[in-house]
């Protein structure tokens, strides 16, 4: 079990990322994919600040871990967490996000940000890329892992399951698929559109080791789950299924379809920041 001091450190980083995301949304004139960013930020924080072997200094190191954000519309959350890690300057994100020619677009672009491992779009293509990277690393005798963060909605795509089948067939124990299971799509709840349950059983049927996180927005559970990843040479890929809440910790945003993407006025921003402060206070008392 990960100790409470470390869990608190990660929790505070995740809440700071949420605050920074809200401030950017309040200042930006267009829409930002807030809901899915909020649901994945706890997992993303733990990956970058504890689990993965990555840092700005190791950008060119072939032995470092690889990370692909398959749910590319969650790019802003990734930018902010990477800024905390020292890859980017948060102020530059705020000043240039969404502008023509900016390095920081609504979807991540490797040609503009060379430290990224792939350019990604809205759904379905990150896992196939990750399978290729993991197979290449194993062929070269490296022990690094390849992490792919997906939304559950994109796993309606056939390419995801073709990649899952290949990952098992190739024995890629260095491959980790992390699913942000918030049960919402852009315009509906996932189970109303296409029934994914029993979800974990599908991954098991494809031969994957499965780690389920009952509450993927509880940092203790997230950190403990990621501590249970098998060794990269295990021969079996792992799917981490994090059950999360879209728009987590923002009262007017949680589980609201309209907050797949949106913009905030000043009143919204102040409510969101107050909600986050109250939620962090509760977390501190519990820890």
């Amino acid at each position: 079990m990960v100790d409470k001091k470390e869990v608190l450190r990660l929790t505070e980083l995740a809440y700071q990322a949420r605050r920074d995301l809200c401030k950017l949304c309040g200042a930006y004139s267009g829409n930002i994919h807030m809901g899915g960013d909020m649901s994945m930020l706890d997992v993303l924080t733990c990956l970058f600040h504890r689990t993965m072997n990555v840092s700005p200094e190791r950008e060119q190191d072939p032995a470092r871990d690889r990370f692909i954000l398959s749910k590319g519309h969650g790019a802003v959350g990734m930018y902010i967490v990477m800024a905390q890690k020292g890859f980017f300057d948060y102020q530059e994100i705020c000043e240039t996000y969404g502008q023509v020619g900016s390095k920081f677009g609504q979807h991540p672009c490797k040609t503009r940000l060379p430290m990224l491992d792939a350019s990604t779009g809205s759904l379905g293509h990150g896992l196939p890329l990750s399978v290729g990277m993991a197979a290449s690393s194993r062929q070269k005798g490296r022990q690094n892992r390849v992490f792919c963060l997906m939304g559950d909605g994109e796993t309606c795509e056939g390419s995801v399951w073709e990649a899952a089948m290949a990952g098992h067939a190739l024995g890629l124990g260095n491959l980790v698929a992390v699913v942000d299971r918030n049960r919402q799509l852009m315009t509906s709840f996932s189970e109303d559109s296409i029934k994914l349950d029993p979800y974990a059983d599908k991954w098991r049927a494809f031969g994957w080791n499965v780690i389920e996180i009952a509450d993927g927005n509880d940092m203790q559970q997230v950190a403990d789950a990621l501590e249970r990843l098998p060794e990269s040479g295990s021969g079996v890929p792992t799917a981490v299924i994090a059950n999360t809440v879209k728009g987590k910790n923002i009262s007017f945003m949680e589980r609201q379809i309209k907050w797949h993407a949106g913009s905030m006025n000043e009143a919204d921003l102040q409510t969101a920041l107050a909600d986050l402060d109250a939620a962090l206070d509760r977390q501190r008392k519990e820890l």
Side-chain angles (χ1 to χ4, degrees):
M1 187 173 183
V2 178
D3 71 83
K4 299 294 185 182
K5 183 180 293 187
E6 173 66 357
V7 171
L8 179 59
R9 180 183 77 88
L10 295 169
T11 298
E12 290 178 340
L13 283 167
Y15 274 91
Q16 185 58 53
R18 284 187 168 92
R19 289 180 62 85
D20 289 343
L21 177 60
C22 286
K23 290 177 181 178
L24 176 58
C25 186
Y28 183 58
S29 58
N31 290 337
I32 291 180
H33 289 93
M34 295 294 291
D37 283 50
M38 288 291 179
S39 64
M40 74 177 188
L41 271 172
D42 302 288
V43 169
L44 195 65
T45 296
C46 191
L47 286 172
F48 270 94
H49 291 282
R50 178 176 174 83
T51 304
M52 295 194 302
N53 180 18
V54 295
S55 68
E57 298 75 27
R58 303 198 67 181
E59 179 185 332
Q60 301 300 321
D61 185 354
R64 68 170 174 81
D65 288 339
R66 302 292 189 271
F67 177 77
I68 292 181
L69 181 69
S70 187
K71 51 175 287 182
H73 49 283
V76 188
M78 181 185 69
Y79 299 151
I80 290 171
V81 171
M82 290 182 75
Q84 291 177 326
K85 188 74 175 177
F87 285 93
F88 315 129
D89 178 64
Y90 171 69
Q91 196 58 40
E92 183 182 3
I93 301 171
C94 293
E95 292 172 357
T96 67
Y97 175 75
Q99 297 178 13
V100 176
S102 171
K103 294 183 291 186
F104 304 103
Q106 289 197 0
H107 294 102
C109 179
K110 182 173 173 58
T111 57
R112 294 181 178 176
L113 294 171
M115 67 286 295
L116 300 182
D117 290 311
S119 301
T120 53
S122 56
L123 50 80
H125 306 294
L127 194 59
L129 291 169
S130 300
V131 167
M133 289 182 180
S136 175
S137 288
R138 192 186 63 175
Q139 186 179 48
K140 294 170 183 174
R142 296 171 183 159
Q143 298 302 308
N144 63 300
R145 288 191 174 104
V146 179
F147 292 83
C148 178
L149 178 56
M150 299 181 286
D152 54 350
E154 75 179 87
T155 61
C156 299
E157 289 285 302
S159 60
V160 169
W161 299 105
E162 291 176 22
M165 185 161 51
H168 168 67
L170 294 171
L172 299 179
N174 57 342
L175 176 61
V176 181
V178 183
V179 182
D180 180 30
R181 180 78 166 113
N182 61 37
R183 290 177 166 78
Q184 284 183 228
L185 310 177
M186 182 172 71
T187 58
S188 67
F189 292 93
S190 62
E191 297 303 309
D192 293 336
S193 296
I194 182 164
K195 295 187 183 302
L196 294 172
D197 282 329
Y199 192 66
D201 289 344
K202 289 179 169 61
W203 288 94
R204 294 188 183 101
F206 275 73
W208 285 54
N209 171 50
V210 175
I211 298 174
E212 295 186 75
I213 308 177
D215 184 352
N217 298 124
D218 181 304
M219 191 61 77
Q220 182 75 65
Q221 293 187 38
V222 171
D224 289 345
L226 293 175
E227 284 290 291
R228 302 202 306 272
L229 290 175
E231 295 296 325
S232 63
S234 68
V236 180
T238 295
V240 179
I241 301 173
N243 291 284
T244 63
V245 173
K246 205 164 184 177
K248 180 65 176 178
N249 293 129
I250 310 297
S251 56
F252 57 84
M253 199 179 292
E254 285 193 1
R255 296 188 175 91
Q256 296 299 307
I257 295 296
K258 66 179 181 180
W259 274 102
H260 175 79
S263 60
M264 290 194 287
N265 58 32
E266 183 61 27
D268 291 335
L269 176 60
Q270 293 309 314
T271 297
L273 295 177
D275 287 345
L276 290 172
D277 287 345
L280 180 55
D281 284 344
R282 290 194 297 271
Q283 288 291 307
R284 284 170 170 158
K285 289 175 182 176
E286 291 174 5
L287 291 170

